[in-house]
Amino acid sequence: TKLAPPTPGQARLTIIQITDVYTLENFPHIKTMIEEKRRENPNTISMLTGDFLAPYLLSSIDKGYGMMRMLDATPIDYLTWGNHEADISHSTVCKHVKGYKGKWINSNMLDHEAMEHQLEYDVVEVPSADGSQTRKVGLCAVLSDDPALYAQFKDPGAFGGATIQDPWETLGKYKKILEEDEGCDVVVPLQHTYVPDDHRTCREFDFPVVLSGHDHHRVDEVVEGTRLLKPGLDGIYATVLDFTWDSKSSDTPDITASFAKATDWAPDEQLSLQVDEAYTALAPLRNTELARVPPRFQPLSSFGSRGKVCTMGRYLCSLIRSALNTDNEFYSGNNCDCVLIMGGNIRGGKDYPDKPGYFSLEGLEAEIKPDETIGIVSMPGWLISDGVVATHSGDPIPGWFQYDEGVVE
């Protein structure tokens, strides 16, 4: 049910959140969505909670400049860090931080080189139209400190060697500052952490809502009284969260939230032209044919690769298996019985058209990192079988196994 616009005496904050965006294609729709919500409620803010500068094909060419132009043009009011912002050069990232027109919140990486252009937290004032009340909503933002996410970086390390502080110690610190020193009515943590870490936040604190990213699927659940919201990747859906205080005497706000599909709003024409212009850099790659796609792998899709076996996963695993078993100076043939790839490493997240029917260099670059390591390992068949079953149980995860066409589940 659509929420009616606030009455003159109500104070309402509308938050539009997207996360883990590896394409520019949905920003024209999101711009229209934000404009409509802002007409209904001037106290509307937008945010992207991490992972937008990498890893995707366009950023490997333009180093994130196309994305930053989209964020300013939409506009997205707030950014927070994701682990993949460390994937492009630190100096380039610092330029993006300095050039961004909105507010970049960073609560647990305070020694970052460009920290003077970021905020440790922010306080959003939410006045009613008639001036009878003004509420305060505090925002703080934490990035995962999981060492496994940053193990591949050489000295000085990810983010130019900045120290990622414990997310929960950080949340405790800023919750106290925002509630006691800033007098906030509500504090909303913005996180870039996996679901188990989000659950820890829900258990250890009494936040009414946690807005998070990092996982690529949608999550809307209540854990020990705290509502956890994750809208999924690429701005396909956006979280629309409303805090409404009916009057000055209201102790707590009414909270409503839903996921809105971006394409339910017409695209902004001017921003669509900017998207097309940004993608002209990919034209040479788009037209470079690598291989024909056999009908058995069509329709080719990498969408949902962290939660199902997709045709792109089977196709790439099958190509790799064939290559490994080709007689040449390195391999004697029949070296590989099956190929397994974690779904998180099939990165495109898209459906491919049946025509022109070939796999392009653009597709390869979009789906697999160029420095991905392939190993040939001997292991018992039961372990392979149990491993596939284990990763295919439960919620979507980056480790969800994709496999070649010779594997039957």
Side-chain angles (χ1 to χ4, degrees), residues 297 300 302 310-323 339 341 345-347 352 359 363-364 366-368 374 402-404:
F297 296 110
L300 195 61
S302 57
C310 59
T311 51
M312 177 62 77
R314 290 182 72 89
Y315 178 54
L316 289 175
C317 288
S318 299
L319 287 177
I320 293 169
R321 180 188 175 195
S322 177
V339 171
I341 297 179
N345 291 338
I346 306 294
R347 307 176 305 158
Y352 290 79
F359 189 48
L364 179 63
E367 297 293 347
I368 297 287
I374 297 174
Q402 302 289 324
Y403 46 66
D404 65 80

Side-chain angles (χ1 to χ4, degrees), residues 155-168:
D155 286 339
F159 302 105
T163 304
I164 304 174
Q165 298 165 319
D166 181 273
W168 297 280

Side-chain angles (χ1 to χ4, degrees), residues 43 80 87 92 144 174 179 222-223 246-247 261 287 292-293 299 309 317 325 339 341 351 400:
N43 299 318
T80 72
D87 289 355
T92 300
S144 174
Y174 286 103
E179 290 178 346
V222 177
V223 179
D246 285 332
S247 67
K261 190 173 184 179
N287 298 321
R292 286 281 156 179
V293 180
V309 178
C317 288
N325 288 329
V339 171
I341 297 179
D351 297 324
W400 186 286

Side-chain angles (χ1 to χ4, degrees), residues 304-384:
S305 62
R306 296 181 178 210
K308 64 181 180 182
V309 178
C310 59
T311 51
M312 177 62 77
R314 290 182 72 89
Y315 178 54
L316 289 175
C317 288
S318 299
L319 287 177
I320 293 169
R321 180 188 175 195
S322 177
L324 292 175
N325 288 329
T326 299
D327 287 326
N328 56 42
E329 60 180 304
F330 299 106
Y331 305 113
S332 59
N334 298 319
N335 289 280
C336 179
D337 295 300
C338 74
V339 171
L340 303 175
I341 297 179
M342 294 196 306
N345 291 338
I346 306 294
R347 307 176 305 158
K350 63 181 291 186
D351 297 324
Y352 290 79
D354 290 340
K355 294 183 179 181
Y358 61 77
F359 189 48
S360 69
L361 182 57
E362 177 195 22
L364 179 63
E365 294 278 358
E367 297 293 347
I368 297 287
K369 292 190 297 183
D371 59 351
E372 203 68 71
T373 300
I374 297 174
I376 301 177
V377 181
S378 296
M379 62 178 67
W382 66 263
L383 181 59
I384 297 172

Side-chain angles (χ1 to χ4, degrees), residues 78-82 90 97 103-122 139-144 159 162-165 170-171 173-174 190:
Y78 290 89
L79 293 177
T80 72
W81 290 106
H90 179 63
V97 174
K103 297 180 178 181
W104 198 307
I105 303 181
N106 168 16
S107 303
N108 72 325
M109 195 164 51
L110 302 183
D111 60 350
H112 190 273
E113 182 180 338
M115 190 64 209
E116 64 179 303
H117 301 278
Q118 303 170 61
L119 301 174
E120 294 182 37
Y121 63 85
D122 197 35
L139 304 174
C140 56
V142 293
L143 167 67
S144 174
F159 302 105
T163 304
I164 304 174
Q165 298 165 319
T170 299
L171 290 174
K173 169 186 173 181
Y174 286 103
L190 314 177

